[in-house]
Amino acid sequence: MNLNSSHEIELEDAADTRPILIVPYMWIGDFVRGHTVVRVLKQRWPNRPVDLLVTPLCAPLIDYMPGVRAGIVWDLPRSRLAIAKQRGLAAELRARNYGTALVLPRTWKAAIAPALAGIPERVGFFGEVRFGLINRMRWGEKALPRFIDKNAALALPSGAPLPPEWPVPQLVIPPEEAARWRQTNGLGMGPAVALGPGSVGASKRWTYYPEAARLLIERGLDVWVVGGPGEKALAQEIVSATGGRARDLTGTDLRNGVLAMAAASVAISNDSGLMHIAAAIGTPTMGIFGPTSPYLWAPLNGLAATVLQTKSKLSCQPCQRTVCTMNDHRCMRDIAASEVADIAQRVMAQSSAR
């Protein structure tokens, strides 16, 4: 397979119409990034339908992913094998007659259902001694620099060089749907900043969102707090700090978060799933990074601003740890609320000028 000058993957076999299943990583941000894999497959085989295995949490994302035919909603427990559920999933997959399965996670458990379903081609990297479960084994995963490289490489022929650029993830939200969502929630049509204060791992959480929200509201902007049930306490802290003027939009339905990020004028988020959602939508997105590396974990879509601890580079940065074990979280504490509010205003002004 060759790459043309626009970095797109050339057509491989237009006559091939066998459906393809992707077994992705199910964390929200990783699931969004998995849309790059869909786009690579559709460039390679434009007439092969592509489906994604998906958890109930991530299922709303499927509705906004171009090139995805369907989501197979199945809730497999993380902590146990659940053989009965694996067999049930295998029966569902068998009925759909997939020709190829791309198993992105390296776990043994992720490959069970595709193997039980008898999918002829089961592609994945070596991991957890999956011989037999994966019958198109790939090697060299550790030599690939980034998470997206490891995933999207499985959509290429074995041994193919990586392209200079991958297709970026896309979430396409109809403007009228975002407008209806604003109206339903009584949010008006003024400029709004969506805040994503949550993350997996406490060390990735910037703690000055309440102060930043107060500053943004004082400058005439609406502020929405977006996240899941786990961010309810953070949202209430922000609402309290703004005298009730910020809106708590946290909840159990991820679609609510997707539409909030689509309707916002700018999004400010920790390194989290909401950051990847906002960037894939095309909302100007500010990512706040401290313990994690933007090179490894920032969205391929690019960020309107990457906010880092800037006063001095810490020797422990990036540590990639979920809990800070040294320097008392300075990589995040040294990012001032006024700096974030100022950057948000500049980003918004630049976006409005386009």
Side-chain angles (χ1 to χ4, degrees):
M1 178 176 295
N2 297 316
L3 298 169
N4 61 29
S5 58
S6 65
H7 300 155
E8 289 194 354
I9 297 164
E10 292 182 354
L11 172 67
E12 184 159 315
D13 184 358
D16 195 343
T17 60
R18 297 171 300 151
I20 301 173
L21 173 71
I22 300 175
V23 180
Y25 286 88
M26 297 300 183
W27 296 108
I28 293 170
D30 295 340
F31 191 86
V32 171
R33 289 194 288 181
H35 189 246
T36 287
V37 182
V38 175
R39 296 193 67 191
V40 173
L41 288 173
K42 294 303 289 185
Q43 289 177 7
R44 183 178 173 188
W45 287 299
N47 295 317
R48 296 187 69 178
V50 176
D51 295 349
L52 271 73
L53 187 65
V54 62
T55 61
L57 171 64
C58 291
L61 293 167
I62 294 290
D63 294 341
Y64 307 113
M65 287 183 163
V68 176
R69 180 182 69 172
I72 312 303
V73 182
W74 210 268
D75 197 7
L76 292 173
R78 292 181 183 273
S79 58
R80 56 192 176 87
L81 198 54
I83 288 295
K85 287 197 170 187
Q86 292 278 7
R87 286 175 176 160
L89 175 58
E92 176 73 19
L93 300 181
R94 190 179 304 113
R96 292 173 179 264
N97 294 314
Y98 292 109
T100 302
L102 267 59
V103 183
L104 306 189
R106 297 174 67 252
T107 63
W108 191 75
K109 186 169 70 173
I112 292 175
L116 289 177
I119 297 174
E121 298 172 344
R122 304 184 297 277
V123 183
F125 279 109
F126 174 77
E128 293 192 359
V129 194
R130 300 192 292 179
F131 296 108
L133 297 178
I134 298 294
N135 63 1
R136 299 291 188 274
M137 193 74 75
R138 299 287 182 87
W139 307 88
E141 179 192 26
K142 291 182 179 180
L144 298 175
R146 298 172 300 169
F147 184 78
I148 187 59
D149 299 320
K150 301 174 194 298
N151 288 338
L154 294 176
L156 299 176
S158 180
L162 303 188
E165 298 175 7
W166 294 111
V168 300
Q170 293 177 327
L171 294 174
V172 179
I173 317 299
E176 60 274 14
E177 186 174 352
R180 283 196 305 270
W181 175 85
R182 287 186 75 142
Q183 184 177 20
T184 300
N185 287 278
L187 295 170
M189 296 306 293
V193 179
L195 306 181
S199 70
V200 177
S203 69
K204 294 194 289 183
R205 294 176 190 162
W206 184 60
T207 55
Y208 302 146
Y209 279 102
E211 184 179 349
R214 180 180 55 79
L215 291 172
L216 290 166
I217 287 174
E218 287 175 355
R219 299 175 190 187
L221 300 169
D222 292 336
V223 171
W224 308 334
V225 188
V226 187
E231 281 74 65
K232 181 64 70 175
L234 294 172
Q236 289 304 311
E237 183 182 355
I238 294 168
V239 171
S240 177
T242 61
R245 290 177 292 175
R247 285 289 301 271
D248 176 6
L249 298 176
T250 59
T252 58
D253 187 357
L254 183 59
R255 191 182 306 276
N256 186 67
V258 172
L259 293 172
M261 290 302 181
S265 306
V266 64
I268 305 173
S269 176
N270 301 324
D271 177 7
S272 70
L274 284 174
M275 176 187 68
H276 288 277
I277 286 173
I281 290 169
T283 299
T285 305
M286 295 169 53
I288 301 180
F289 286 80
T292 53
S293 163
Y295 169 72
L296 295 176
W297 301 109
L300 285 182
N301 309 72
L303 293 168
T306 303
V307 185
L308 298 159
Q309 182 271 340
T310 55
K311 292 183 176 60
S312 60
K313 175 73 173 179
L314 301 177
S315 60
C316 56
Q317 237 180 330
C319 68
Q320 313 291 350
R321 295 178 182 271
T322 56
V323 177
C324 179
T325 57
M326 60 192 303
N327 287 318
D328 194 26
H329 212 204
R330 268 191 58 201
C331 66
M332 288 297 222
R333 286 191 300 105
D334 282 2
I335 301 173
S338 58
E339 175 188 0
V340 170
D342 290 345
I343 295 172
Q345 281 196 293
R346 290 200 298 271
V347 167
M348 196 174 296
Q350 292 166 0
S351 177
S352 298
R354 292 187 184 130

